[in-house]
Amino acid sequence: MKALVYTDTCEVTYRDEPPPIVRAGDVVMEVSAAAICGSDMHAYHGHDERRVPPLILGHEVSGIVQAGKYAGQRMVINPLMSCGLCHDCQSGRSNICQQRELIGMYLQGALAEQVSIAERNLLAIPQDMDPVHAALTEPTATALHAVALIERIAYRPLSEMRCLVIGGGAIGLLGALVLKAKGCSRIDLAETNELRRRSVEQQHCADAFNPVTDKAPHEGDYDVVLDCVGAPATRVASSSAVRPGGIISHVGLQNSGDGFDSRRITLQEITVLGNYCYTHADLTASIEMLYRQQLGNLDWVEVRPLSAGGQAFDDLHHGRVAAGKIVLQPDHLVH
Ligand SMILES: [Zn+2]
Ligand SMILES: [Zn+2]
């Protein structure tokens, strides 16, 4: 099969690879669409010691199942494989299972013509759902999970809250779209890349500004701050943008280290929420929201052939992409 292989730092190679390894309980999926994630970019930059080349990246995928009880069905993958047996899995928090594995990390990923996955990690989708939209299920679920955790502790309905989203990549944009879908109408979004700011504005879900040149319009007065970058500078920005009693949701994983103002967090009772991935329920709800177009028409997604994946990584690396998300499709499916 053809695959896009991460072969070295800042290098991905489109080449022939053996068919995916099928472990007990796995089935092969013929990939229809697979998206490039920020975490794939992190690996590409050589910053993820868990993703070692040569490796097929990619975990945001939709396709057609080739064998087993779902043979022939269009489905999406829950790329996070948890044990199903531990305390966390059994209490509905499979996302923090200590035994979890992810495809495109230790296991072969989905930026290929085929991918292998545990049958129990397949999720049903409407059979007429656009496969490119279906490939957005996983990042949407990440944003939805973060918003769901906020809703659980929010002191007022989200529709009454003023929100700041930091970062206009896919998770930031989807975060703003989910907040809007939940009735939130006052959303600002901080993004340094002008092309991305423009594509956020086109979705009419948030007012975008450049945090390098401008302060957040309502500095110190945000009920909710969603940090979709997760760097020291954005933690500093989150700490000062949030209002007393507000909530900071830390979603991004750019790098660890300091940034939070622990004194302000304590004195002003600010809640800091960590969010990691999603549960089965978040994925199912995301499929529904994407299918019903509750997150807009999704025309900010750019589709390219798998063979042009190297250029896509390079364009993302150089900030030349307005799209919040690039989805790659096997060449025979791109017209
Ligand atoms: Zn992802
Ligand atoms: Zn577990």
Side-chain angles (χ1 to χ4, degrees):
M1 66 165 180
K2 291 288 184 194
L4 194 66
V5 186
Y6 164 47
T7 39
D8 204 347
T9 302
C10 290
E11 182 186 276
V12 288
T13 310
Y14 181 68
R15 67 185 191 194
D16 284 307
E17 283 286 301
I21 297 160
V22 182
R23 307 188 299 180
D26 280 3
V27 290
V28 171
M29 171 184 266
E30 199 77 33
V31 173
S32 304
I36 301 173
C37 176
S39 61
D40 296 321
M41 288 309 296
H42 203 58
Y44 176 78
H45 291 136
H47 294 157
D48 186 348
E49 70 274 10
R50 301 168 303 175
R51 290 176 166 95
V52 181
L55 174 72
I56 303 171
L57 298 169
H59 55 265
E60 305 177 357
V61 53
S62 71
I64 301 172
V65 181
Q66 296 302 295
K69 61 181 169 189
Y70 305 116
Q73 288 191 36
R74 291 181 180 281
M75 300 187 93
V76 297
I77 280 176
N78 175 358
L80 196 70
M81 288 184 275
S82 49
C83 77
L85 300 169
C86 70
H87 172 74
D88 297 314
C89 282
Q90 299 217 331
S91 48
R93 304 188 74 192
S94 54
N95 58 321
I96 53 172
C97 170
Q98 295 300 299
Q99 257 67 256
R100 65 182 184 249
E101 294 182 293
L102 190 73
I103 60 165
M105 186 182 274
Y106 303 110
L107 305 168
Q108 283 181 341
L111 294 177
E113 289 179 324
Q114 296 183 334
V115 65
S116 143
I117 187 74
E119 193 172 53
R120 66 188 170 94
N121 276 57
L122 292 166
L123 290 142
I125 59 171
Q127 292 302 290
D128 62 344
M129 187 171 185
D130 182 329
V132 172
H133 295 173
L136 302 177
T137 299
E138 194 260 9
T140 302
T142 300
L144 192 60
H145 182 73
V147 173
L149 293 193
I150 293 166
E151 279 184 302
R152 205 161 66 187
I153 59 158
Y155 39 88
R156 297 292 305 163
L158 271 178
S159 58
E160 294 173 20
M161 294 203 171
R162 189 189 292 285
C163 301
L164 172 66
V165 177
I166 301 178
I171 303 295
L173 178 52
L174 285 163
L177 289 167
V178 168
L179 286 167
K180 185 187 171 194
K182 301 239 178 219
C184 191
S185 58
R186 294 178 300 169
I187 308 170
D188 292 321
L189 189 147
E191 169 57 53
T192 54
N193 182 309
E194 191 192 339
L195 291 171
R196 282 189 169 179
R197 279 203 302 278
R198 252 185 270 154
S199 47
V200 168
E201 293 280 5
Q202 280 162 10
Q203 296 307 309
H204 306 290
C205 57
D207 293 324
F209 67 98
N210 182 355
V212 175
T213 52
D214 299 305
K215 275 182 75 142
H218 302 277
E219 180 75 8
D221 196 28
Y222 291 97
D223 302 285
V224 169
V225 180
L226 206 61
D227 181 356
C228 299
V229 178
T234 57
R235 284 187 284 275
V236 169
S238 303
S239 296
S240 64
V242 72
R243 58 167 293 115
I247 301 166
I248 298 171
S249 172
H250 194 258
V251 190
L253 276 168
Q254 193 170 90
N255 48 42
S256 49
D258 53 7
F260 283 130
D261 181 346
S262 57
R263 190 166 176 83
R264 179 153 196 259
I265 285 169
T266 304
L267 288 174
Q268 302 194 349
E269 286 201 346
I270 289 157
T271 303
V272 178
L273 282 172
N275 308 276
Y276 182 69
C277 284
Y278 34 74
T279 63
H280 198 86
D282 296 315
L283 288 158
T284 307
S286 297
I287 293 167
E288 199 64 21
M289 290 185 94
L290 290 163
Y291 182 67
R292 296 185 181 278
Q293 301 218 327
Q294 289 172 321
L295 304 176
N297 60 11
L298 307 173
D299 66 358
W300 47 275
V301 177
E302 197 183 317
V303 179
R304 299 191 188 185
L306 185 62
S307 62
Q311 187 65 47
F313 272 83
D314 195 58
D315 287 346
L316 286 165
H317 171 63
H318 286 102
R320 287 190 293 251
V321 183
K325 185 60 92 182
I326 295 182
V327 172
L328 301 177
Q329 290 197 280
D331 287 46
H332 64 95
L333 296 176
V334 185
H335 12 262

